[in-house]
Amino acid sequence: MSDLPLIQADHAVASPAPTSPSRGGRGRRLRLLSRTDRVVITLMVLVPLLLVVGLVWLPALATVALSGTDWDGIGPLSEIDWVGGRNYADVVGNYPPFVPAMQHNLLWLAALFVVATPLGMFLAVLLDKEIRGSRFYQTALYLPVVLSLALIGFVWQLIYSRDQGLLNAVLGGQTDWYGDPHVNIWAVLVAAGWRHVGYIMLLYLAGLKGVDPSLREAASVDGASETSTFFRVVFPVMRPINIIVLVVTVIESLRAFDLVWVINKGRNGLELISALVTQNVVGEASRIGFGSALATIMLAISLVFITIYLAVVMREGRR
Amino acid sequence: MSRPRTEAEYLARLVPSSVAGIGRRSLLTGVGAGALLGTGLLAGCGSDSGSGSGGDSKEVSVGSNQSDPQPKAVIAKVMDGFKAASGVAPKINTVDHNTYQENINNYLQGKPDDVFMWFAGYRMRFFAAKGLTGDISDVWGKLSGYSDAFRKASTGDDGKQYFVPSSYYPWAVFYRKSVWKQHGYQVPTTIDQFTALGAQMKKDGLTPIAFADKDGWPAMGTFDILNLRINGYQFHIDLMAGKEAWTSDKVKKVFDTWNGLLPLHQPDSLGRTWQEAAQSLQQKKSGMYLLGLFVAQQFGNDEQDDIDFFTFPEIDPAIGAKALDAPIDGYMLARKPKAEANARKLLEYVGSKEAADITVKNDPTTLVANSGADTSGYTALQKKAAELVGSATEIAQFLDRDTRPDFASTVIIPALQQFIKNPRDIDGLVNSIENQKKSIFTS
């Protein structure tokens, strides 16, 4: 899960600012392509296109289509009954976990955006200073990202258990970290932040390594302090990676799932949209239609962020 | 059995089904066995003695959800017994318990094993009614040693049998004899005695009733037993089938009674697993615990003799205290088995006295369904549990086996947790359940 943005990050930083080639030059080059080149290019476009359509767009459209049905996952497609918008009406008006799930997703986004992501960035800046033992800190902070989610759930269960957990044993308290719906979302956010910080740190560290050292040198020659060098020079230069970090944060909070699923399957104060989708779709007699309606709502929300991201990236490209 | 017994098993259920590979594995074996059997079955079903060169017809595949080491070993022994008795070698495909359950839908519509393990109750009737499993009324004609209750639990909506019961376990109130002896407690037979006992335990510094509902299902047991005691078996089953309204005064009375008992329950139950609650009983911090027989797993070998139980006391004298939850596990036939003759033979065998005897010898944590079995090897706890179920007038299967699974998991679990959090708003709770029920049961 962490590979893709990392590669993009490296790429985004490594490549120098695009120097716009003259139009005539590009056109001429295209005409110079041999037949083999054209076949290769066509294949290179066509194969990923088919994969994207087959693996992303068709399932997405199928989800939207199924959200208007009451299919239970059994029997041929011909037996599916169309129920129109009833699933959506049920989701909004007749499904108690939905509203808390929306709130929790927003809270998740806010917590990652305001606390975890800046912390990750801060740690990256510190580690970029090549302090002694930075490799060790880097590994330690990145470790949670590498651990399997089952293991993470287990680790935090040992810490948070009310009767037998480490936290209550040390503090001598009786807090029901996982069971009290006013507390458990914060407990989980700590665990989620623990993971997210390491992830952002590594992304950002990769970006920082790619910043041209001469920029800092120039800034220090001009007499700028460390802080103002970072905020006035380094941070603006890292615009592409900042956007990626932002997008990663949004994605992570939208698809936040694994930890709450490990803890209590996303119930009792830990409702998240993704967990509700899974609760409804996975299982022995599934509410595929209802779950699809929830998934479609999630898709619609993601589209807002995707649109913003694409708009930013494309404006970047045009410049 | 149906519940996660260990942390490892609980975690194992988190593996996405696509990764865990029930579909793939069973598909491959199913196709493989099918290819082998396709020719062999036609040629070989004439005589048993034809020990042909290939022996293709000597196979049958079994889908097993018994993924824990001990039950897995027991199943293997039972299957060895079948091999010895019939010469047919069953091929067992074991899948992690929870993965199996979550995939049953796809599994049955794909290429299931000839015989597969499942549960009695609505859960069984649901798939039978959908035509995803085979009619085995003919096998039932050859079975003996089953009470009418078991036969009824194996019968689909159309009156045909679809299920062979193998084992079951009752739900009751468990306690430690030594603790009760120390304080001089008596087994309560009415709800008033029960609450008085709870109050006394509180005075003695014990948590009266251990309680956990982090995983969502244990509280179902409390709802079941209260509903059975207050409104009786038939109302409970009709409520589960969606025929009765959750907004009725009868259901409200169940929640009211529960509300009265909640102060006796261990607090903060929504953050606790049943294992942790059982350990509070084991550590003598709690006085009693309403759970299935599997609670004994949280006790050491030297403590097994110290466990005892009683059935939940009577609330309404007109209803009595003879009904209880005792989920039954067993076997079913695939819709289109590859080796049908062998599969029916196998079903007859797993329902026989011989198979039950093998289970009794090897598994001290479960009860066998066949009354003809030699149960002299039972522990005292098993004997008492068998007596309890034997004397029951009606046997329910547990909430999530008695109603639509989608209703149980997406509506009832959050609703019961909501009730435990805020037991005062019963009207709002039952209205919400009823509205969601209408939406689910009409689809």
Side-chain angles (χ1 to χ4, degrees):
Chain A
M1 73 169 224
S2 53
D3 294 350
L4 192 61
L6 265 183
I7 292 166
Q8 287 175 346
D10 271 329
H11 177 76
V13 175
S15 65
T19 53
S20 57
S22 70
R23 255 152 225 240
R26 198 193 277 161
R28 207 179 306 139
R29 215 177 299 143
L30 205 68
R31 256 175 269 126
L32 288 175
L33 289 176
S34 73
R35 177 176 297 230
T36 333
D37 288 344
R38 258 176 280 161
V39 171
V40 167
I41 286 177
T42 317
L43 280 178
M44 281 169 83
V45 172
L46 211 62
V47 171
L49 185 73
L50 285 177
L51 285 175
V52 166
V53 168
L55 296 177
V56 177
W57 284 107
L58 285 182
L61 290 176
T63 305
V64 175
L66 282 174
S67 73
T69 71
D70 65 354
W71 196 38
D72 61 0
I74 295 177
L77 295 175
S78 56
E79 283 176 14
I80 297 181
D81 289 328
W82 182 258
V83 296
R86 200 185 79 196
N87 284 328
Y88 291 94
D90 276 354
V91 165
V92 177
N94 195 11
Y95 190 51
F98 178 68
V99 173
M102 293 292 278
Q103 290 167 344
H104 293 152
N105 266 88
L106 282 176
L107 181 66
W108 203 283
L109 175 63
L112 290 193
F113 186 73
V114 177
V115 181
T117 298
L119 191 62
M121 289 173 155
F122 179 66
L123 289 173
V125 172
L126 283 189
L127 287 178
D128 191 43
K129 297 258 166 279
E130 310 265 311
I131 48 174
R132 206 188 312 159
S134 69
R135 278 284 164 79
F136 170 76
Y137 293 124
Q138 202 172 319
T139 316
L141 290 168
Y142 193 66
L143 198 65
V145 189
V146 183
L147 293 181
S148 81
L149 71 101
L151 198 57
I152 288 190
F154 188 59
V155 167
W156 286 97
Q157 167 79 29
L158 293 178
I159 295 173
Y160 279 139
S161 163
R162 178 189 181 275
D163 301 342
Q164 300 159 4
L166 177 77
L167 210 54
N168 277 349
V170 171
L171 300 176
Q174 290 253 299
T175 313
D176 187 11
W177 295 104
Y178 273 170
D180 186 339
H182 302 295
V183 176
N184 58 10
I185 186 75
W186 302 105
V188 173
L189 279 171
V190 169
W194 180 61
R195 242 187 138 186
H196 186 74
V197 164
Y199 188 19
I200 294 298
M201 178 207 72
L202 206 72
L203 273 185
Y204 214 66
L205 199 57
L208 283 171
K209 298 276 184 221
V211 172
D212 191 347
S214 61
L215 283 173
R216 295 177 198 229
E217 232 168 88
S220 73
V221 168
D222 287 344
S225 71
E226 285 265 337
T227 326
S228 57
T229 307
F230 179 77
F231 281 110
R232 298 269 177 85
V233 180
V234 177
F235 191 76
V237 163
M238 289 182 62
R239 194 182 135 87
I241 199 120
N242 289 337
I243 291 176
I244 283 166
V245 164
L246 187 70
V247 170
V248 164
T249 305
V250 172
I251 291 175
E252 288 284 300
S253 63
L254 263 179
R255 68 165 188 195
F257 170 74
D258 34 24
L259 274 170
V260 300
W261 195 256
V262 174
I263 292 162
N264 65 3
K265 295 199 155 187
R267 296 175 175 129
N268 178 39
L270 296 184
E271 292 88 353
L272 291 173
I273 303 276
S274 50
L276 297 188
V277 172
T278 313
Q279 278 172 21
N280 279 285
V281 170
V282 171
E284 48 193 82
S286 0
R287 300 168 82 183
I288 304 264
F290 189 79
S292 298
L294 284 164
T296 306
I297 291 172
M298 197 168 144
L299 181 71
I301 298 171
S302 326
L303 278 179
V304 174
F305 290 102
I306 292 170
T307 314
I308 294 171
Y309 172 68
L310 284 181
V312 169
V313 168
M314 282 174 177
R315 205 186 307 143
E316 189 99 328
R318 268 201 299 277
R319 249 198 270 161
Chain B
M1 279 182 206
S2 67
R3 300 310 180 191
R5 290 166 165 181
T6 59
E7 191 73 41
E9 195 183 324
Y10 175 67
L11 292 170
R13 93 165 81 166
L14 308 162
V15 178
S17 49
S18 55
V19 180
I22 177 182
R24 230 177 322 138
R25 202 188 316 163
S26 54
L27 190 93
L28 286 176
T29 49
V31 169
L36 286 171
L37 289 164
T39 48
L41 192 67
L42 291 170
C45 56
S47 69
D48 260 340
S49 56
S51 53
S53 50
D56 291 350
S57 67
K58 297 291 178 197
E59 276 189 17
V60 60
S61 64
V62 184
S64 167
N65 57 359
Q66 302 292 343
S67 47
D68 284 349
Q70 196 192 15
K72 194 175 170 182
V74 175
I75 297 302
K77 290 218 170 80
V78 171
M79 294 304 158
D80 285 347
F82 176 63
K83 191 178 177 187
S86 68
V88 176
K91 222 169 154 268
I92 313 173
N93 298 314
T94 307
V95 174
D96 162 68
H97 202 288
N98 292 296
T99 312
Y100 187 93
Q101 230 156 292
E102 291 187 344
N103 282 288
I104 189 76
N105 221 329
N106 296 331
Y107 172 68
L108 292 181
Q109 294 185 77
K111 302 252 180 213
D113 299 300
D114 301 333
V115 172
F116 64 95
M117 293 186 182
W118 197 235
F119 318 106
Y122 191 103
R123 250 181 182 168
M124 174 274 289
R125 300 202 305 273
F126 179 79
F127 292 112
K130 293 272 181 188
L132 292 175
T133 72
D135 172 12
I136 52 168
S137 305
D138 60 325
V139 174
W140 263 87
K142 298 175 200 162
L143 292 178
S144 62
Y146 286 98
S147 66
D148 268 357
F150 280 113
R151 191 192 178 89
K152 217 167 127 189
S154 309
T155 305
D157 296 332
D158 56 0
K160 293 174 183 163
Q161 280 77 44
Y162 290 93
F163 180 82
V164 175
S166 62
S167 62
Y168 64 98
Y169 55 94
W171 277 61
V173 185
F174 289 82
Y175 61 91
R176 290 196 71 149
K177 285 182 205 166
S178 55
V179 173
W180 281 43
K181 206 172 162 192
Q182 183 196 336
H183 294 288
Y185 299 144
Q186 297 293 320
V187 168
T189 51
T190 65
I191 191 75
D192 292 336
Q193 290 176 12
F194 185 70
T195 25
L197 173 65
Q200 184 58 41
M201 284 179 170
K202 252 189 172 168
K203 263 187 222 155
D204 296 337
L206 291 167
T207 306
I209 308 169
F211 192 42
D213 198 35
K214 181 171 164 225
D215 296 327
W217 56 263
M220 291 174 171
T222 309
F223 179 86
D224 281 357
I225 201 71
L226 290 173
N227 198 21
L228 287 170
R229 291 287 177 268
I230 292 170
N231 299 314
Y233 175 80
Q234 198 51 49
F235 178 84
H236 180 66
I237 292 302
D238 289 345
L239 181 70
M240 292 299 121
K243 294 179 197 159
E244 295 279 353
W246 282 78
T247 43
S248 75
D249 287 342
K250 290 182 156 189
V251 179
K252 283 183 195 167
K253 194 179 171 205
V254 172
F255 283 113
D256 263 338
T257 312
W258 194 350
N259 187 13
L261 292 174
L262 266 184
L264 298 178
H265 284 71
Q266 204 173 0
D268 295 340
S269 56
L270 297 180
R272 188 180 296 115
T273 62
W274 73 261
Q275 288 95 336
E276 289 172 312
Q279 279 157 27
S280 84
L281 185 74
Q282 185 264 336
Q283 292 159 5
K284 307 188 176 184
K285 291 176 185 163
S286 299
M288 28 188 184
Y289 191 14
L290 171 70
L291 205 73
L293 189 59
F294 53 87
V295 71
Q297 292 158 10
Q298 294 296 316
F299 289 74
N301 283 335
D302 53 327
E303 295 164 336
Q304 293 292 331
D305 290 341
D306 198 32
I307 314 171
D308 204 348
F309 64 85
F310 58 91
T311 191
F312 196 87
E314 174 183 297
I315 294 176
D316 180 349
I319 303 277
K322 285 286 190 187
L324 60 112
D325 265 338
I328 305 168
D329 296 350
Y331 297 82
M332 295 179 81
L333 180 69
R335 174 177 47 172
K336 289 177 191 157
K338 295 284 177 325
E340 185 157 358
N342 286 341
R344 286 181 193 277
K345 249 189 250 170
L346 175 61
L347 284 167
E348 195 186 329
Y349 181 80
V350 293
S352 70
K353 177 184 167 316
E354 290 77 31
D357 283 343
I358 295 175
T359 309
V360 172
K361 268 191 211 114
N362 293 292
D363 192 349
T365 66
T366 189
L367 303 175
V368 291
N370 194 315
S371 65
D374 173 18
T375 53
S376 56
Y378 271 178
T379 62
L381 197 67
Q382 279 175 301
K383 273 185 191 138
K384 198 174 167 189
E387 267 169 40
L388 175 68
V389 180
S391 71
T393 48
E394 293 104 353
I395 299 171
Q397 295 295 318
F398 203 69
L399 202 152
D400 62 7
R401 301 182 181 201
D402 279 330
T403 189
R404 289 179 61 119
D406 46 3
F407 179 63
S409 65
T410 66
V411 179
I412 293 298
I413 289 182
L416 293 186
Q417 291 191 333
Q418 178 62 31
F419 169 75
I420 294 165
K421 267 185 282 185
N422 177 16
R424 274 171 296 275
D425 183 22
I426 292 172
D427 283 334
L429 184 80
V430 291
N431 282 332
S432 166
I433 297 177
E434 180 65 17
N435 286 337
Q436 295 180 73
K437 182 205 92 179
K438 278 183 187 149
S439 164
I440 287 181
F441 275 85
T442 51
S443 66

